[in-house]
Amino acid sequence: MHTYQTPLDLVRERSPERPVALVRPDVAAVAAQWFQENLKADVLYAVKANPSPWVIETLAANGVASFDVASIPEIELVRRFAPHARLAFMHPVKSRVAIASAYFDHGVRIFSLDSHEELAKILDATGGAKDLTLIVRLAVPSEGSAYALSGKFGVEPDAAPALLLAARRATQDLMGISFHVGSQCMRPTAYQGAMSAASRALVRAGVFADIVDVGGGFPSVYPGMAPPALEDYADSIHRGFAEMMVHETTELWCEPGRALVAETTSILAKVEARKGDALYLNDGAYGNLFDAAHSKWPFPVKLVRDGVAESGLKAFKFFGPTCDSIDVMPGPFWLPEDVREGDYVEIGMLGAYGTAMATRFNGYGDTETVIVAEAPMASMYGLARRSIPTPRPEHGAVVKLSRARTKKRRRR
C-alpha cells in the first residue's frame, strides 16, 4: 500500500474515481497496546469488526495472539496472516461441517455454545473430543448499548445452570462462561452487572469456570456518542471479576473489535452531484457506509479540496451510487456550504463495520486502500488532531511499536 501524509496529497496526485479506505496501522498498534496494558485479560480480537489483512498482521505484531472468529473464511484468513494465533470459534450456532473443519483442519479447540443441541453438535462433529474448551454464552441485558445483541444468542439465566453443568462434564479441558453487553456500550457498569449474573449462574450450577469472557462492546467515539474513558470500563471489569465466585486460576478474556479498529480508517468519497442539501457520493449504504444509512450514525466528515472553502457550514445528507432509494445517509453531515461536484469528502471513524460491510450491489463496492499519516478525526486514546508517535511503514501496513509490551496479567 502507498503512504500519503494527508488525504489531500492523494487527491492532488491522482483524483481517485472510486472510494478509498484511508488506513492508519499505527492506531491499531496503539489500541492493541492499551488493552494489553490496562485490562488484566487475554485479548481476543473480534475479526468481524474489520477482517482486513493489514489489521490481522498489525495486531499480531503488537501482541494480540488470540482471535475471535465466526466462520471458516475468518479462520482461514487469520491462519494466513497470523498462522500461530490461537483461534476461538465464538459463533454460538455453527454447522457440523464448520465445526469439524475448524477442529480437524485448523486446530481450533475453543468453541462457544448457548444450547444443549449445540453442545451435542460440537461433540459429535469433533468425534467426542475431550480436549475442547467450551464457552457457554449467557444472555444478558443490553441497556446502554447502541446495538442490543441479547435477542439472537445466549442461554437465558434460568436455563444456564443445566447447560453449564453439561459443558463441564463434556470436556476434560477448560469450561468457561461468556456474554455480550451489546455493541458500542456506553455504560461501563453493564459489565459488572453481566458478571454478577454469570456468577449466580455458576453458583446455581455448582461448577467453577476456568474462563470468564466479558465479550465485546467496548466503544469508540462518534458525533453525539462520547462514551466514558476506556479506563472506566477496565475498572468496572476488574471490580466485577474480583466479586465473582471463581477460583484463583480462572482466566479473564475480552473480545474487543470496534475499540481496536474504529479509529484506524476513514473513507474518501467523491461528490458526483449536488441537489440542494443532498450530495451524491460514490460510496454509500451498500459500500462502506452501512451504519450511516441503517443506524443513521452522523459520522464526522471533512471536505478535502485543493483550496480554501469559501463559505460557512451547512447540514447535508448523502446518497450512495446505487439505484436503490434506501441508499441514503441522513446525517446531518456538516460541510462547507459551497461543496460541489468533484469535491472529496473524508468520512471518519469507519475502521469498524465499514469496509467489512461492503457489497458489490449494482456493480459498486470496490474500495482502494492506502495508508495515511494524518491522525484520526476522534480518538479514545488521545491521538486525534495531533501527530501519532509511532513509526510509519513506507511499503507495507504492519506497524510494531518499539516500546516493550507489558506482560499479560492474569488472575492466579
Side-chain angles (χ1 to χ4, degrees), residues 25-39 41 43 45 55 58-65 256 259-261 264 381 383 399 401 403 405-406 408:
D26 46 4
V27 175
V30 169
Q33 291 287 358
W34 188 95
F35 270 88
Q36 291 170 89
E37 294 174 2
N38 291 276
L39 194 57
V43 177
Y45 171 58
V55 171
T58 301
L59 294 178
N62 285 274
V64 176
L260 285 177
V261 295
T264 67
Y381 307 98
L383 303 177
V399 172
L401 296 188
R403 57 196 171 100
R405 183 166 56 87
T406 299
K408 287 185 183 295

Side-chain angles (χ1 to χ4, degrees), residues 130-263:
K130 296 297 184 180
D131 61 344
L132 301 172
T133 294
L134 299 173
I135 309 294
V136 175
R137 178 159 167 174
L138 179 69
V140 297
S142 295
E143 288 88 355
S145 65
Y147 289 120
L149 299 177
S150 58
K152 187 173 182 180
F153 298 121
V155 59
E156 293 298 327
D158 59 345
L163 185 56
L164 286 163
L165 182 59
R168 175 80 279 174
R169 291 172 172 171
T171 181
Q172 295 176 359
D173 205 340
L174 305 179
M175 187 278 293
I177 190 167
S178 71
F179 52 80
H180 202 303
V181 297
S183 188
Q184 185 67 10
C185 178
M186 302 291 284
R187 190 179 302 167
T189 55
Y191 290 90
Q192 278 180 269
M195 295 171 90
S196 178
S199 187
R200 290 193 297 271
L202 289 166
V203 170
R204 289 177 58 201
V207 299
F208 281 106
D210 302 298
I211 298 157
V212 174
D213 180 359
V214 300
F218 300 94
S220 193
V221 57
Y222 304 92
M225 285 186 285
L230 284 174
E231 287 82 359
D232 293 346
Y233 292 82
D235 289 345
S236 179
I237 290 168
H238 294 156
R239 288 195 300 270
F241 194 46
E243 295 168 359
M244 290 189 72
M245 297 294 291
V246 295
H247 51 71
E248 292 183 353
T249 59
T250 298
E251 299 178 15
L252 182 63
W253 290 6
C254 64
E255 303 170 21
R258 183 187 303 278
L260 285 177
V261 295
E263 300 175 18

Side-chain angles (χ1 to χ4, degrees), residues 24 27 346 372-377 383-388 392:
R24 301 162 177 84
V27 175
E346 182 185 2
V372 292
E374 193 174 61
M377 292 186 186
L383 303 177
R385 294 180 297 278
R386 67 177 177 84
S387 298
I388 302 172
R392 296 186 179 277

Side-chain angles (χ1 to χ4, degrees), residues 18-161:
R18 58 177 175 170
V20 181
L22 309 170
V23 306
R24 301 162 177 84
D26 46 4
V27 175
V30 169
Q33 291 287 358
W34 188 95
F35 270 88
Q36 291 170 89
E37 294 174 2
N38 291 276
L39 194 57
K40 300 175 185 178
D42 282 351
V43 177
L44 290 74
Y45 171 58
V47 175
K48 61 181 175 290
N50 188 330
S52 300
W54 69 265
V55 171
I56 306 299
E57 292 179 320
T58 301
L59 294 178
N62 285 274
V64 176
S66 302
F67 292 80
D68 157 21
V69 292
S71 65
I72 294 300
E74 285 191 353
I75 290 172
E76 293 172 342
L77 174 74
V78 178
R79 281 285 178 252
R80 179 179 177 188
F81 293 101
H84 303 297
R86 178 178 61 168
L87 302 182
F89 207 158
M90 300 304 284
H91 195 311
V93 178
K94 304 163 287 293
S95 74
R96 293 175 187 271
V97 170
I99 295 168
S101 178
Y103 183 85
F104 292 108
D105 300 334
H106 301 285
V108 177
R109 295 295 181 266
I110 306 169
F111 294 88
S112 176
L113 59 113
D114 65 0
S115 68
H116 291 275
E117 292 79 5
E118 187 71 11
L119 174 59
K121 190 195 303 181
I122 292 169
L123 297 175
D124 181 62
T126 59
K130 296 297 184 180
D131 61 344
L132 301 172
T133 294
L134 299 173
I135 309 294
V136 175
R137 178 159 167 174
L138 179 69
V140 297
S142 295
E143 288 88 355
S145 65
Y147 289 120
L149 299 177
S150 58
K152 187 173 182 180
F153 298 121
V155 59
E156 293 298 327
D158 59 345

